[in-house]
Amino acid sequence: MENLKFVFAGGARNLADALAGQTCLVGVAGSGNLEVLLQAMPLQGQCEVQVATAARGFAAIWQAVLDDFHQRWQLQDVRVAINDVGATPAVVSLRLDQAVNLALSLALNRVQEGA
Amino acid sequence: MKSYLEASARQRLQYLLDEASFVEILPPTADGAFTSPHLAQLDAPTAFDDGVIIGRARLQGQAVLVAAQEGGFMGGAVGEVHGAKLAGLMQLALHEKPQAVLLLLESGGVRLHEANAGLIAVAEVMRALLALRAAKIAVLVLIGGANGCFGGIGIVARCANAIIMSEQGRLAMSGPEVIESVQGVEEFDARDKALVWRTTGGKHRYLLGDCQQLVEDEIAAFRQAAIDTLAQLNRAPDGLALSLAGLQQEQAQLAQRLQDFGELAEPLEIWRKLGLAQPQQVALMDATQLQAALAAARDADKPVQEGV
């Protein structure tokens, strides 16, 4: 296993309201797949990504995939925790987007229930 | 139409239970509070929920406690944390007294990386399940995942009040590869998938009476079967508990099964002896057709073994 940590600053999108104290989890820690968990927490405006991966030696690829992710979503004050069992970069990107979309849809559901 | 086989454990919960009714107990956290400490020591991949999701929910308005094993993570195998979540859920049910406990089982058995802890955990799960039966709280097992239901979790399944399976689901003690490696390929060829499903698959389990309901591979079908089975079980709550008479009856049925089928080497021969007119057609039948075929065989007054 290899544990990697990436920190991104300058994001503007805060998921604290969307997640409302809960975490959201997508994917499965199975072969060729990964699970992505989002948890909002005060991180001085940063987005922290913690990766535990079964495939060693791919830090540069993770950096590139996560750079793109941060470019797309601009998250702040959120920890992204990943358990990876050898997913390809495309699968990683899809799962990351799926996690954020799930978090945003949770917020949408709450607005509709409240309305 | 959602396939139960292809869905993840979380997706199954989402579509099986009343909409948005599921509230997870011990939800996963980014600091990995509920991951396996043993796997981390062995430098193996971990999962935030240790491969099982537990919580409270509603099934057609009725309060239920529910657990779902994720086959995609280490084949749903049971480790210390995973087992503690299952056993803890059932101990909670003793206090909360829900209408039912639903177990969506998919597991190869005990996780070998933490085998001692896993074995103890499975024993605790069985003890908790039997305590639920004594308290007359219905326990339903659903089996339809790609990894089947084997080993200690196979035994747990048979301790429950009722089992609902799809054709794709499998239920047994030892898995095909285990039997082959211990007894040899002449005894069991694990690569012969048709043989594997003929001997452990949902249809065979239904015909033998080891599972009470056979459904199509759709989450909605599992949901309906769970609702129907629960209504049936809770109509006679005294029958939920184990009794000496009930166990003796089950023992007699198993002895009869051994006498009827013990010499037969092939499930097709068993199905023929059960009175099915065209046993070779079983593989092609859908769940409804197979139910009708078994009912017809029973009506025809041939040697038929009743399920328990």
Side-chain angles (χ1 to χ4, degrees), chain A residues 4 12 18-19 21 23 26-27 41-42 58 60 66 79 89 93 97 105 110:
Chain A
L4 305 166
L19 290 168
T23 56
V26 299
M41 59 179 70
F58 289 89
L66 292 169
R79 178 164 288 156
S93 282
D97 287 358
S105 72
R110 263 195 299 276

Side-chain angles (χ1 to χ4, degrees), chain B residues 15-270:
Chain B
Y15 295 105
L16 185 88
L17 302 161
D18 292 359
E19 194 178 346
S21 72
F22 179 72
V23 179
E24 187 166 0
I25 297 171
L26 305 180
T29 58
D31 63 5
F34 307 113
T35 59
S36 162
H38 307 281
L39 293 176
Q41 282 170 4
L42 294 167
D43 209 27
T46 56
F48 292 116
D49 51 20
D50 204 35
V52 66
I53 304 143
I54 58 172
R56 299 180 180 86
R58 297 207 165 258
L59 181 70
Q60 213 182 36
Q62 305 173 92
V64 295
L65 290 183
V66 57
Q69 294 180 303
E70 174 52 66
F73 177 63
M74 309 199 103
V78 180
E80 185 172 12
V81 175
H82 181 123
K85 286 173 78 175
L86 281 174
L89 180 85
M90 286 191 262
Q91 287 162 3
L92 181 67
L94 267 184
H95 295 282
E96 292 196 357
K97 305 202 184 310
Q99 288 297 303
V101 174
L102 305 182
L103 303 176
L104 284 60
L105 300 182
E106 178 173 1
S107 181
V110 166
R111 193 182 293 166
L112 296 181
H113 310 66
E114 40 190 310
N116 291 349
L119 284 168
I120 292 168
V122 167
E124 288 171 350
V125 168
M126 280 181 222
R127 185 190 180 94
L129 202 166
L130 294 174
L132 282 180
R133 290 202 57 173
K136 298 178 187 173
I137 296 169
V139 183
L140 289 188
V141 166
L142 281 58
I143 302 170
N147 292 273
C149 182
F150 289 96
I153 293 298
I155 304 176
V156 167
R158 293 292 290 126
C159 292
N161 290 107
I163 298 175
I164 299 164
M165 289 181 81
S166 65
E167 172 181 8
Q168 289 82 351
R170 289 176 293 155
L171 170 63
M173 180 61 218
S174 299
E177 284 78 7
V178 176
I179 299 172
E180 180 180 323
S181 51
V182 174
Q183 297 289 337
V185 71
E186 296 83 5
E187 173 70 22
F188 201 91
D189 183 355
R191 286 183 305 176
D192 183 346
K193 295 304 177 194
L195 174 67
V196 169
W197 260 266
R198 275 206 303 282
T199 47
T200 63
K203 282 179 171 172
H204 186 54
R205 290 294 165 225
Y206 177 72
L207 290 174
L208 280 183
D210 293 326
C211 80
Q212 284 62 46
Q213 289 258 22
L214 181 72
V215 297
E216 293 301 323
D217 173 36
E218 290 163 23
I219 301 180
F222 274 94
R223 174 183 161 87
Q224 193 55 51
I227 292 168
D228 295 345
T229 307
L230 188 55
Q232 198 183 343
L233 287 172
N234 282 339
R235 265 200 295 275
D238 286 344
L240 292 170
L242 289 169
S243 66
L244 180 60
L247 288 172
Q248 284 173 331
Q249 191 189 359
E250 188 170 344
Q251 177 64 29
Q253 283 166 349
L254 290 172
Q256 185 65 43
R257 179 194 293 188
L258 193 61
Q259 195 184 325
D260 288 344
F261 308 129
E263 298 298 315
L264 305 179
E266 164 63 51
L268 277 168
E269 297 168 26
I270 295 176

